[in-house]
Amino acid sequence: MENNFETLIATYIENKVGISEHFLSDTLANNLKQNLIALNTKSLLVEAGTGNAEKVLYDGAIRSDSIYWLDKKHNNAFENEFFTLIEEFILYLNQSCYAGITSYEFHYSLYEPGDFYLKHLDQFKSNPSRKYSMISYLNANWQERDGGELLIYQVDHNQNIAPTQGKTVFFKSDELVHEVLVTNSTRMSITGWLKSD
């Protein structure tokens, strides 16, 4: 597991975007995906907005995905396994990079065909607590024709990242503008932030 942690950190240091192809095991990714599908079947996902709790805007012309917040109160075995993994990564990150992360928040994200999220930064102007963004993908057998890439705008190049199962992407929340391109297939992920409150 530490190899995946080190890969994520080393690629971040090299390119401002950390990528680990197998941060999530296939078993965990599949279990989380089935959990997300079950939640969606029960109509428990909600329209995603922009902004924070103080001022949330809902505009389908900016983003059109649906979300469901993970919470330890749910006592879901697969979500708890994910939380344990994240907590282990935070410990490793804090010890190796003195990152000062004290908390985190994550939600499921579901993009149906035609959905997208326009260019944005992840850190709120009124609240700088989000330090790093993390996205873990739950899409087996994803093909180029399925679209839905994460497009990150770097200073000297743009970086397209396919949302393939098990892959996790890691970058500073206040640094890189990014967007989710229109997806042609159902696209699932867990998206969240490592915070310093």
Side-chain angles (χ1 to χ4, degrees), residues 43 71 137 156 160 167:
S43 300
D71 194 317
Y137 296 111
D156 55 354
N160 274 57
K167 179 187 293 179

Side-chain angles (χ1 to χ4, degrees), residues 87-99:
E87 288 164 5
E88 290 173 352
F89 175 67
I90 288 172
L91 181 62
Y92 189 88
L93 179 67
N94 283 342
Q95 289 178 341
S96 60
C97 300
Y98 307 101

